[in-house]
Amino acid sequence: KAGVTQTPRYLIKTRGQQVTLSCSPISGHRSVSWYQQTPGQGLQFLFEYFSETQRNKGNFPGRFSGRQFSNSRSEMNVSTLELGDSALYLCASTQGSQGETQYFGPGTRLLVL
Amino acid sequence: AQSVTQLGSHVSVSEGALVLLRCNYSSSVPPYLFWYVQYPNQGLQLLLKYTSAATLVKGINGFEAEFKKSETSFHLTKPSAHMSDAAEYFCAVTGYSGGGADGLTFGKGTHLIIQP
């Protein structure tokens, strides 16, 4: 099976812009989770989508949003970008049950100037 | 609420020596515990996972971890380090909140350095 794919791999934006990142889960996986990784804060959970519904959410401002499509692909959007949003954004997929292993994609590295 | 503490942001061992990376967790519900490895410019790769079936868990690349409830620990070990083990290692915990695939709570990571 193909793994989790994320596009684009690298992105440069300026403050105030918005950005959309995409994640395609492993075939058959219905849950997609998003994480932000920064040197200062480490890995932090953003949100999780299952069957097109947000099921869990981390402690991030409303500028961070996401959605999931009927084919389980997910997008994450960040509006009004700030310098501190520069990070590696990782998505992970599972079939959606309790305690399952999350399989991670390679990430999208976002640089905000 | 859950939390993970990884002792030592950097650990240096000689090639062929024992690797020990420490992880302590806090969880209000029975936890699922994971160790992931991250190589430069890559995502996270699962090393091993504890799900209450056995306290000693064997993973890939010769790594294993032991769950000790009394010590709330899940330390990662490998008997003999290899140069290819140099990477960032993350311990993570998740629990059941009624919502299915809960978000993972990660430790800050331990950078493993292998000296020739």
Side-chain angles (χ1 to χ4, degrees):
Chain A
K1 279 186 180 178
V4 178
T5 59
Q6 293 187 244
T7 56
R9 291 293 311 277
Y10 302 92
L11 207 48
I12 300 175
K13 292 286 187 179
T14 57
R15 278 182 301 173
Q17 287 187 312
Q18 74 165 15
V19 67
T20 299
L21 313 181
S22 180
C23 173
S24 292
I26 292 171
S27 177
H29 285 190
R30 297 167 62 191
S31 167
V32 173
S33 298
W34 288 89
Y35 294 83
Q36 182 196 64
Q37 184 177 24
T38 60
Q41 299 300 315
L43 281 152
Q44 294 183 285
F45 171 67
L46 281 155
F47 32 64
E48 183 244 356
Y49 284 85
F50 179 81
S51 293
E52 303 179 63
T53 300
Q54 186 181 91
R55 200 165 54 169
N56 287 294
K57 189 177 188 305
N59 188 27
F60 277 81
R63 299 186 298 107
F64 292 82
S65 63
R67 60 177 175 169
Q68 187 180 34
F69 302 94
S70 58
N71 62 357
S72 294
R73 188 177 70 85
S74 176
E75 288 183 348
M76 189 192 103
N77 183 275
V78 187
S79 62
T80 319
L81 284 166
E82 301 177 358
L83 296 179
D85 297 332
S86 294
L88 180 66
Y89 290 89
L90 295 162
C91 83
S93 76
T94 76
Q95 290 180 343
S97 297
Q98 171 189 345
E100 280 186 80
T101 298
Q102 296 191 22
Y103 294 93
F104 284 81
T108 294
R109 186 164 296 281
L110 171 66
L111 176 62
V112 182
L113 301 175
Chain B
Q2 295 139 9
S3 66
V4 174
T5 302
Q6 290 184 241
L7 293 176
S9 59
H10 291 77
V11 169
S12 180
V13 302
S14 298
E15 190 174 19
L18 172 71
V19 175
L20 170 59
L21 304 183
R22 299 178 187 274
C23 171
N24 288 88
Y25 71 92
S26 171
S27 178
S28 56
V29 296
Y32 296 93
L33 293 158
F34 305 81
W35 275 99
Y36 283 90
V37 61
Q38 186 176 36
Y39 298 99
N41 299 314
Q42 293 187 26
L44 301 174
Q45 180 183 3
L46 179 74
L47 280 176
L48 48 79
K49 167 185 173 184
Y50 168 76
T51 58
S52 78
T55 57
L56 183 62
V57 182
K58 294 188 183 298
I60 62 171
N61 301 337
F63 285 95
E64 63 181 37
E66 186 173 8
F67 173 72
K68 292 186 177 181
K69 184 178 179 179
S70 60
E71 299 177 7
T72 60
S73 68
F74 191 55
H75 302 329
L76 181 71
T77 59
K78 181 174 179 177
S80 178
H82 191 272
M83 295 299 291
S84 61
D85 295 328
E88 192 82 15
Y89 291 78
F90 294 94
C91 181
V93 64
T94 188
Y96 180 64
S97 67
D102 298 326
L104 291 167
T105 299
F106 285 90
K108 293 291 188 185
T110 297
H111 186 64
L112 178 61
I113 301 162
I114 310 297
Q115 296 180 343

